[in-house]
Every structure is written in structure tokens, then in C-alpha cells.
Amino acid sequence: MIIKDLKDTILFDTGEPNPFSQFFVGQSYLKMLTPGPNAIGNVTFEPGCRNNWHSHAGGQLLFVTAGEGYYQAMGEPAQRIKAGDVVIIPAGVKHWHGAADDSWFVHLAAAGDPSKPETEWFEPVNEEQYVEANKVKY
């Protein structure tokens, strides 16, 4: 799949519609780049798409490869992130990430501690939270 807005900057194949779509608002795509406990996934978000609040038992690393989006930890202000940014999410921190309303967003996701790959999913990011995040500029 070629994404017109990012076709000159995409590093990895977009993959297929995300099989975890029940935990997302909007459309995302997933292409697993490596298998097993050291799995790395390439996640592509259409504009406005974001995942639900969630946490990772072993933490998570996000490597932003294209577009612009947001990361927000519970109780903290949202951060606008773009290609070249790295987000280190500590174990157990409830958070969300996703595309800005005006941009596609692509990141690689890896477990901070591959021996603890579990993800706990919570409620969707509500519209008020998302609109507030979109006020943040890079």
C-alpha cells in the first residue's frame, strides 16, 4: 500500500489493516518487522487515528519514522512528536499515541523489556482529550 502523503518518506511496508483495531479510534495498519520476543512492529495511523489508553508491563519504545502525531502519559500534557523522535515509555505507564488530525503518522514499536511483552488496554481517548492534544504544536 502506498500512502500518497508520505510516499517519499515511508521506510517500511505499511502492512495490513491493524488486527488490534478494536483498541483504536480510526484506521491503522500493522506490519510486523521481526517475530518473537524481540518483535518490532511498523504501525501506520491515518490522520485522526489514535490508540486507546494502554500500558505495557515491560515498557515500550517508539521510533517515529514519518508524519506527526502525539504521545501522552496519564496525568501529563500531550507531546507532539514527528519523524526522528524517540519516545521511551516506562513500564506500567498508562498512555496513548496516534496521528495528528492533519497528518499521517508512522512509528516502529518495540517492547522495552521483551521478557514482559504484555499490553493492558483501557478506555478510548475521548474527543475532548484528542482535541486538546491537537492544540499542542511541535
Side-chain angles (χ1 to χ4, degrees):
M1 169 184 291
I2 295 177
I3 300 171
K4 184 178 179 185
D5 295 351
L6 299 176
K7 71 178 181 176
D8 295 330
T9 61
I10 281 242
L11 297 174
F12 302 101
D13 181 30
T14 305
E16 301 298 325
N18 197 325
F20 301 100
S21 63
Q22 72 269 29
F23 302 117
F24 286 72
V25 173
Q27 182 63 53
S28 67
Y29 305 88
L30 177 64
K31 172 69 175 184
M32 294 308 297
L33 302 178
T34 60
N38 293 312
I40 297 173
N42 184 58
V43 186
T44 301
F45 299 75
E46 290 186 358
C49 178
R50 66 266 191 191
N51 52 32
N52 290 3
W53 290 96
H54 61 287
S55 66
H56 304 277
Q60 186 178 44
L61 302 170
L62 301 178
F63 302 90
V64 183
T65 60
E68 293 190 22
Y70 298 98
Y71 162 77
Q72 184 174 16
M74 182 60 77
E76 297 180 12
Q79 301 172 37
R80 184 128 176 168
I81 53 179
K82 66 178 184 175
D85 288 340
V86 176
V87 180
I88 300 170
I89 305 164
V93 170
K94 187 175 179 180
H95 68 282
W96 69 272
H97 34 100
D101 61 0
D102 60 353
S103 177
W104 287 79
F105 177 60
V106 185
H107 67 58
L108 300 180
D113 179 350
S115 72
K116 299 176 183 175
E118 300 83 12
T119 300
E120 184 174 3
W121 292 99
F122 302 105
E123 71 278 3
V125 173
N126 67 41
E127 200 61 28
E128 180 181 320
Q129 292 166 323
Y130 184 70
V131 167
E132 192 64 27
N134 272 276
K135 294 178 183 176
V136 176
K137 300 301 174 201
Y138 192 82

